[in-house]
Structure formats: structure tokens, C-alpha cells
Amino acid sequence: MRNLPKTTHPKQKSILRSFAIAFPVAIAMVGSEVVWAQNGMQRDILGDCGARSCEVMFDRVARGYPELTAQLTSDCDGDLSLQVFKSGRQWPRVSFVCWEAADSRGERTGSWLGTLPLLKGDRTFAPQWQCGEFDRVCQEWLPQLRSIAPETVRNGEVQCAMRNGELFFAVVETRVDLRCGFFATTVWDENGDGLVDYEDPVSVDISVGIIGND
């Protein structure tokens, strides 16, 4: 754990500007590197990131997706762990886990935070929402929602993709509530290496956007 510098080079300010106000403690700059930080202290990152260190992978993800990286990590007050993986035709992805303090045996529990692309411009991440073949309600409503509130729909697609979820919506009086169904996952690390040994997924859904009048 290292103290962060108190000043930031002017050329680096533009990198931080998009998330510095909303997420002041999750990400910081050390020299030209984007780092994981808590309370003004640079923190090491655990996990399995292949041939590169997880700090290098964090820097790469945070540069490509600064606001989303800050959002995922802002509530983590324990140890952050990353795992780089690739599935099928997808570009490489990075999974984020926040670990609680280990017990006397080195075991600990944690929470899966979500997934982001490793590379900026990943066209396979957050594809456009498509209605099911027999979902007539979705087929009727979705084109209207895209026309009325395209940014809200797109943000919902991104927020749900981070959670590996599925989008759906609920119509409540004059509002449409975009919702994401996903698995909120508790994880266990048996030996303190920051890797998941066991997991317990629970199906949940959250709102990722409201369209219409309150």
C-alpha cells in the first residue's frame, strides 16, 4: 500500500475528469498509471490476470472505461481481485470481485461486482437489446422506447451487460421501468490468493432506467 501523490499532471486531468466527482476514492493517478485506491492510498490488486500483473490490467480497463470501472469499484472497501478471461467469440473480459478481510485460516468471503471489457471499443460488449421471437409486448414497445429515450435504453444495456444480465421492462401507469435480471453472487476464497473457489449465485433484478412521467 503506497501513499498517492497530492498533485496530478495537467495532461492527466482529462482522464480523471469524467469520474473524479462521482467516485473520488476508487481510482487515482500515479505518474501515468491509473491505479486502484482507497482513502488516498494505492492498493495492490489480487487475482489471475495472465502474463501481466492485475495492476496493469486494471490500468487498461480504467483507461478504456473510466466511469464504469469507478462505478464497479467505488463501494469496495476490502481487497479488489480481477480475473481476465475470454469466452467464445467475445473479446477478453475482466471480472471484478471485492473480498472481505480473511479469517485466521486465510479464508474469506466476497462479492462479485461485475464484468468489463479489457479493451476499449469492444464491439461484443453490451450489444443492442433484442426482443425474443415470441415476445409481442417487447416487439411493440421497444422501438418506441428507443425513439423516446435512446440514451436511457443504451445506458440500461450497458448496466445490464456489466452484470451479465438480461433486460426486460415493466409498465407502471405512465412509466416504463427498464430492469435487469442477473445473478448476485457471493464468493469464497479458501487460501487467500484472491481467486474464487466457491460461489453462491442468487437471482435478482434491479432497475436500470425509468422512461416516462413520475
Side-chain angles (χ1 to χ4, degrees):
M1 188 181 296
R2 297 179 288 277
N3 284 311
L4 296 177
K6 295 182 179 180
T7 59
T8 301
H9 192 281
K11 291 184 179 180
Q12 298 165 354
K13 291 182 180 178
S14 61
I15 300 175
L16 298 171
R17 188 175 298 125
S18 62
F19 54 79
I21 295 176
F23 306 103
V25 299
I27 297 178
M29 296 290 297
V30 173
S32 61
E33 182 182 4
V34 184
V35 301
W36 161 242
Q38 292 175 334
N39 301 319
M41 302 289 289
Q42 180 181 349
R43 297 288 303 272
D44 294 332
I45 301 175
L46 305 174
D48 179 7
C49 296
R52 299 290 186 90
S53 72
C54 286
E55 285 79 10
V56 170
M57 295 296 99
F58 182 86
D59 171 79
R60 184 173 297 180
V61 175
R63 287 179 183 278
Y65 303 89
E67 292 182 349
L68 298 181
T69 304
Q71 177 187 337
L72 279 184
T73 59
S74 62
D75 290 332
C76 180
D77 56 4
D79 290 324
L80 184 66
S81 170
L82 307 183
Q83 184 170 16
V84 178
F85 67 96
K86 190 175 185 298
S87 177
R89 295 185 177 181
Q90 289 182 348
W91 292 15
R93 301 284 167 84
V94 180
S95 180
F96 291 71
V97 168
C98 182
W99 293 106
E100 298 178 3
D103 62 20
S104 59
R105 297 174 297 179
E107 299 179 357
R108 54 184 163 184
T109 60
S111 299
W112 176 72
L113 302 176
T115 300
L116 287 175
L118 176 61
L119 305 176
K120 185 177 181 179
D122 183 346
R123 295 185 299 273
T124 65
F125 177 69
Q128 190 176 77
W129 180 14
Q130 301 292 331
C131 297
E133 181 180 358
F134 301 105
D135 191 342
R136 304 305 182 195
V137 175
C138 177
Q139 292 172 9
E140 177 183 353
W141 277 85
L142 185 54
Q144 299 180 56
L145 299 179
R146 289 197 189 281
S147 176
I148 296 170
E151 292 184 0
T152 302
V153 173
R154 183 55 188 159
N155 181 66
E157 291 169 340
V158 172
Q159 292 295 319
C160 203
M162 288 197 305
R163 297 169 172 86
N164 297 339
E166 295 287 340
L167 277 170
F168 64 99
F169 60 82
V171 180
V172 182
E173 296 181 349
T174 60
R175 299 186 304 165
V176 175
D177 183 8
L178 299 182
R179 303 194 67 82
C180 177
F182 65 101
F183 288 103
T185 305
T186 301
V187 293
W188 284 266
D189 173 13
E190 291 191 318
N191 55 13
D193 61 0
L195 300 179
V196 175
D197 294 311
Y198 298 99
E199 60 182 46
D200 180 22
V202 177
S203 180
V204 299
D205 62 85
I206 61 171
S207 177
V208 291
I210 299 292
I211 300 173
N213 300 322
D214 293 332

